[in-house]
Amino acid sequence: MPDVKQETMTCRSGCGACCIAPSISSPLPGMPQGKPAGVRCPQLTADNRCSVHGHPERPAVCASFPVSVEHCGSGRIEALLLLTELERMTGSGREGSA
């Protein structure tokens, strides 16, 4: 039986946790120096949707994010907690203020 935590899933509409919790070291539209952890990506809309999803300007790092139960949990709050902890464990040092 497969490990449930490794199962892939469809991205949740209106979640946005992967656009807030992790730091991103590569340039993003609106953030040429990358994004600190805990800072909303400027491409994230008020209803937590990516405004560049499906567009050529969407950064490769975003398109390659592994949408899975392991990273996204069972809902937005759990996703924020899981990704914040993962960021803390990896020690990127690119923290901002949310």
Side-chain angles (χ1 to χ4, degrees):
M1 180 170 215
D3 181 356
V4 173
K5 289 187 165 243
Q6 295 300 320
E7 290 180 14
T8 58
M9 57 187 280
T10 302
C11 186
R12 283 186 202 96
S13 179
C15 177
C18 61
C19 302
I20 299 169
S23 62
I24 298 174
S25 59
S26 59
L28 301 168
M31 289 187 139
Q33 302 301 313
K35 186 191 86 60
V39 172
R40 288 177 67 86
C41 174
Q43 302 306 316
L44 192 60
T45 64
D47 62 349
N48 293 321
R49 294 175 181 263
C50 176
S51 65
V52 294
H53 191 287
H55 297 276
E57 60 270 22
R58 184 177 185 208
V61 67
C62 299
S64 67
F65 179 79
V67 180
S68 68
V69 175
E70 179 182 22
H71 294 103
C72 304
S74 61
R76 182 176 188 274
I77 300 300
E78 186 176 6
L80 283 166
L81 292 170
L82 289 168
L83 294 174
T84 298
E85 178 62 11
L86 183 60
E87 180 71 25
R88 187 192 66 74
M89 290 171 46
T90 59
S92 72
R94 292 184 51 89
E95 294 178 9
S97 57

